[in-house]
Each structure stands twice: as C-alpha cells, then as structure tokens.
Amino acid sequence: MISIIVTFHNEEQSIISCLQSIVAQTAQQWECVIVDNGSTDSGEYQVRNYLIDRRMRFFREAEALPLEEVRAKALAKTQGEWVMYMDGADYLTRDSLQALYLIVKKYGTLCAAGNYYTVSDGEKRPAQYRSEGLVCGGQVARGEIGVLTGGSLFSRSVAHLPGSWPTLDFAYTDHMILVSGGREKPLVDVVREPLYKKVLRWLRDLA
C-alpha cells in the first residue's frame, strides 16, 4: 500500500484539484493523510467534501509548523510500505502511483522520481529529469532535479529520514506529474551542505 501525505497552507484554490487527482488514480491501494498546516482560508471546508472516501483522513494544525515536522507527525499516522509527499499545489496524472511503484520494483531502489510539468501563471511548461535509467543522488544535492515535488515515491525505510534522501539513488520514470504554483514558488529543493562535503560527494560520483 502507498501512503500519501498531503500538507497544505492557504491553498484553497488548488487543494481540490490535488485531492481529485488522488481519487482518480488507476492504482487503488492507497491511504491519504491530509494536514491543514495552520491555514486561514477555507481550504479545510474544501477538504471535508472528500472525507466520504474512507481512505482519506484529515488533521489540522492550529498554527503553521515547519514542513518536516508536519510530515513526520502525519507519517506516524500511516501504515503504507511506500510513501509519497504532496503539497496542496501538486496534481498527479491518473497512473502516477502505478508508474512510480512499478519503477521502484523494476530497479529495486528505495525511491522513484518522475518527470513533471509546471503550471505557472496559467502556462504549462515541461521540466524533465535526465533520461538515464537511474538518477544519481548527487544530482539531487546539486539541485539539478527536484525529487521533493509531488512526483516522488519513497520506501518507508527512508521516508522518515529526509536528510538521507540526497545520498540515495532514484529510479526514474518518464511519467509526468503536474506541479502548479506562481513563478515565485521554488519547485526544486536545493540541499545546503559544507564545501568539504560537496568535494567528497564529487569524488564519490566520479568513482
């Protein structure tokens, strides 16, 4: 089973599309924990319309907490072997879960990442990962690919260790995931690290 964790903060305009894309997945073996991270808009009321689906559960934080803390609390409420983190502005195409699950099984990795489109100011732009079968974790650390978007699937064994993700290999799928948001919203999480660690990683990648 795949555990999907959706966190949102003042994203009432996009949270409906996000949840609709989850319900519409071709893969049906999933559970979804939705966390309102201290929103002040009406997003909570939009979410409650989806709780008729027993695979979905909703929690609300009284005030906004750091994203890692919110995700950790939500992860403790899940049971799936595989974990996907989503923001309220993410949108999965219909067979995203199926494609990512099949690719981790094919390559035997702990993580999988997919290509994605971005929708910024109403304009759709393709943003592709490299086409090799495996994506090196060093590319993640350099910010060359953004695996911490709505298009990544993690084994539960590493899902609770966000600091370890940049050191892992990601299996790759060319399946597309939509990520919406304004131009000012970063779509790639860049890992900050001391220079000596960058040098060690560079040497390790050359080996």
Side-chain angles (χ1 to χ4, degrees):
M1 182 170 64
I2 297 174
S3 295
I4 306 169
I5 295 174
V6 179
T7 56
F8 70 97
H9 175 77
N10 291 339
E11 292 174 299
E12 61 180 0
Q13 298 301 320
S14 60
I15 190 62
I16 296 177
S17 295
C18 174
L19 298 182
Q20 283 179 340
S21 75
I22 295 173
V23 173
Q25 289 299 298
T26 55
Q28 293 294 304
Q29 297 299 314
W30 53 262
E31 62 175 345
C32 182
V33 172
I34 310 159
V35 184
D36 181 343
N37 191 20
S39 296
T40 57
D41 62 8
S42 62
E44 175 180 349
Y45 302 100
Q46 309 283 9
V47 169
R48 293 192 179 280
N49 293 326
Y50 288 86
L51 299 183
I52 190 172
D53 189 324
R54 294 188 177 182
R55 294 172 296 179
M56 290 192 168
R57 289 174 289 153
F58 175 73
F59 301 93
R60 189 179 193 284
E61 297 292 344
E63 57 183 11
L65 300 175
L67 182 58
E68 286 189 8
E69 182 177 343
V70 175
R71 286 178 171 175
K73 292 173 68 173
L75 182 62
K77 302 178 186 296
T78 65
Q79 298 179 336
E81 177 186 2
W82 297 92
V83 178
M84 171 177 279
Y85 294 112
M86 295 180 66
D87 296 323
D90 294 341
Y91 178 95
L92 301 175
T93 47
R94 290 193 71 246
D95 55 346
S96 296
L97 292 183
Q98 182 178 6
L100 290 167
Y101 178 76
L102 290 177
I103 205 73
V104 290
K105 289 300 183 180
K106 177 179 179 180
Y107 288 107
T109 60
L110 298 176
C111 321
N115 285 344
Y116 60 92
Y117 284 116
T118 63
V119 179
S120 183
D121 300 332
E123 184 177 352
K124 184 177 179 181
R125 303 180 182 87
Q128 297 188 0
Y129 296 130
R130 296 185 180 181
S131 58
E132 293 87 345
L134 291 180
V135 176
C136 178
Q139 294 171 263
V140 183
R142 290 190 293 271
E144 294 178 6
I145 58 175
V147 299
L148 303 186
T149 67
S152 302
L153 190 67
F154 298 95
S155 164
R156 191 174 193 87
S157 64
V158 297
H160 65 295
L161 300 171
S164 71
W165 295 347
T167 67
L168 300 168
D169 281 341
F170 284 76
Y172 163 91
T173 173
D174 60 1
H175 195 86
M176 305 303 290
I177 288 92
L178 295 177
V179 182
S180 61
R183 293 181 185 274
E184 73 284 351
K185 183 175 181 179
L187 295 174
V188 177
D189 285 356
V190 179
V191 176
R192 306 296 180 186
E193 59 183 349
L195 178 59
Y196 79 91
K197 287 190 176 181
K198 292 183 180 180
V199 173
L200 290 175
R201 175 173 43 76
W202 178 73
L203 293 173
R204 184 170 59 248
D205 289 345
L206 287 178

